[in-house]
Amino acid sequence: MQPFDYVKPTSLEEAGELLLKHKGSARPFAGMTDLLIRIERGFVHPELVVDIKDIPGMRDLLVVRNGDLRIGAAVTMNEVAAHSSVQTGWPLLAEGCASVASYQLRNRATVGGNLCNASPAADSAPALLCYEAVAHIFGPEGARKVPLGEFFVGPGKTALQPGELLESVTVPFPKRGSAGHFLKLGRTPMGDISVMNVAVLGWPDKATRSGTSWRIALGSVAPTVIRSPEAERLLSEDTSPDGIEAAARAAAGTARPIDDIRATAAYRTDMVRVLTRRGVERVMAEIGK
Ligand SMILES: Cc1cc2nc3c(=O)[nH]c(=O)nc-3n(C[C@H](O)[C@H](O)[C@H](O)COP(=O)(O)OP(=O)(O)OC[C@H]3O[C@@H](n4cnc5c(N)ncnc54)[C@H](O)[C@@H]3O)c2cc1C
């Protein structure tokens, strides 16, 4: 493996200056569970790696005054999945984070790294898309916010510009009475990257024809994690068994998967239909109580 230097800055400004000074040859990291493999395989060749874990705020996981959840970029998957406020307020996110790899890996793997790696199979991303999370970015031009739906621009590509760091993600408090589920299909029951996954969030809403509103996000079936607006619209109209099946088919229609070593595109598309239907049925059973 190509050697590299290691530095652990203690402020955002210091980290930003290092990234800017070393331009393309420096990489920020948190858990290193993705980056180390990419370095080892020769996909990236950083001369300097910038450990962000000692930067104040990066390890914070808290509910802020307006009720939003704030996840610092270096908070681990296990910390999110085990947090009592996340389990009660944002259960869909707790499920997504708990589904990543193994317990040991989740002790290092972070939500920030999962998002910045920008894999279409990132298991924290569908829940965060459903909750309409916002990425907080720090860089040479100062701080800026990007809705997570605009953060992913392609496989392995984000809206981050040179010298910029993901500082945190804020997740709005879900609508009253909401329920959510994350359904993941892997090649093994535990510890595998998603063949595909679906996140389903629903809540009672008197303003819609079905009396409910929905968000559906799909992973590993397009160049980025995506929402399915047509499935969401159909469910706001009709949540009868036929309505749910129509929405599940619409979600499958949104998918643009590829054949790869994990599954064929056709299998992934059909599994979007199946898991969307299951997810909506489970959420309906909870919000209908
Ligand atoms: C065996 C194994 C199994 C896995 N299984 C799963 C799985 O089931 N589901 C899943 O989603 N993932 C899985 N992964 C992938 C990986 O563990 C996750 O994506 C993890 O969340 C990455 O977090 P990290 O902190 O280790 O990221 P790092 O490796 O530290 O960083 C990942 C990328 O993001 C960049 N980066 C990190 N932090 C920042 C920041 N604050 N600002 C800007 N850029 C940043 C880095 O430069 C790098 O390009 C698996 C990996 C392995 C090795």
Side-chain angles (χ1 to χ4, degrees), residues 112-188:
N114 198 228
L115 300 177
C116 293
N117 195 52
S119 161
D123 284 320
S124 69
L128 290 170
L129 274 192
C130 284
Y131 290 127
E132 299 193 330
V134 175
H136 295 251
I137 295 169
F138 178 85
E141 310 299 326
R144 65 186 182 107
K145 294 187 222 173
V146 175
L148 204 65
E150 294 164 28
F151 184 74
F152 304 115
V153 296
K157 293 199 176 69
T158 67
L160 288 171
Q161 297 300 312
E164 286 189 328
L165 278 171
L166 179 68
E167 191 183 346
S168 65
V169 178
T170 49
V171 197
F173 194 76
K175 298 277 191 292
R176 182 187 284 266
S178 71
H181 283 292
F182 176 73
L183 294 90
K184 168 171 171 172
L185 184 68
R187 289 171 303 175
T188 57

Side-chain angles (χ1 to χ4, degrees), residues 27-28 30-35 101 105 110 114 123 166 184 192:
R27 296 291 290 242
M32 260 280 184
T33 63
D34 274 317
L35 186 59
L105 195 115
T110 65
N114 198 228
D123 284 320
L166 179 68
K184 168 171 171 172
D192 197 16

Side-chain angles (χ1 to χ4, degrees), residues 33-275:
T33 63
D34 274 317
L35 186 59
L36 194 65
I37 290 172
R38 291 176 62 75
I39 296 172
E40 195 187 18
R41 293 185 181 165
F43 297 148
V44 289
H45 310 91
E47 286 163 17
L48 179 73
V49 295
V50 180
D51 187 338
I52 62 160
K53 290 192 285 296
D54 271 2
I55 298 173
M58 289 283 185
R59 305 293 307 264
D60 291 352
L61 174 60
L62 52 135
V63 179
V64 292
R65 217 173 292 156
N66 68 356
D68 289 1
L69 179 71
R70 181 184 182 283
I71 310 171
V75 173
T76 67
M77 295 291 179
N78 272 345
E79 286 167 335
V80 175
H83 196 279
S84 58
S85 298
V86 181
Q87 288 174 352
T88 51
W90 296 268
L92 183 50
L93 179 61
E95 286 181 8
C97 292
S99 81
V100 171
S102 61
Y103 188 87
Q104 290 87 338
L105 195 115
R106 290 195 298 274
N107 268 345
R108 282 206 66 86
T110 65
V111 171
N114 198 228
L115 300 177
C116 293
N117 195 52
S119 161
D123 284 320
S124 69
L128 290 170
L129 274 192
C130 284
Y131 290 127
E132 299 193 330
V134 175
H136 295 251
I137 295 169
F138 178 85
E141 310 299 326
R144 65 186 182 107
K145 294 187 222 173
V146 175
L148 204 65
E150 294 164 28
F151 184 74
F152 304 115
V153 296
K157 293 199 176 69
T158 67
L160 288 171
Q161 297 300 312
E164 286 189 328
L165 278 171
L166 179 68
E167 191 183 346
S168 65
V169 178
T170 49
V171 197
F173 194 76
K175 298 277 191 292
R176 182 187 284 266
S178 71
H181 283 292
F182 176 73
L183 294 90
K184 168 171 171 172
L185 184 68
R187 289 171 303 175
T188 57
M190 280 185 66
D192 197 16
I193 306 268
S194 286
V195 167
M196 51 73 58
N197 62 49
V198 177
V200 179
L201 182 70
W203 63 92
D205 185 351
K206 288 195 179 113
T208 68
R209 197 190 287 180
S210 72
T212 54
S213 278
W214 297 84
R215 289 183 193 139
I216 311 276
L218 311 173
S220 215
V221 291
T224 65
V225 176
I226 52 169
R227 291 257 300 267
S228 178
E230 181 60 5
E232 295 172 3
R233 188 189 67 74
L234 288 170
L235 288 166
S236 71
E237 301 272 313
D238 182 5
T239 49
S240 68
D242 284 350
I244 293 174
E245 181 60 25
R249 287 183 187 280
T254 318
R256 285 172 285 134
I258 53 166
D259 294 328
D260 68 12
I261 51 158
R262 291 196 176 81
T264 62
Y267 179 68
R268 284 188 159 103
T269 303
D270 205 35
M271 288 303 104
V272 171
R273 181 185 62 78
V274 171
L275 294 198

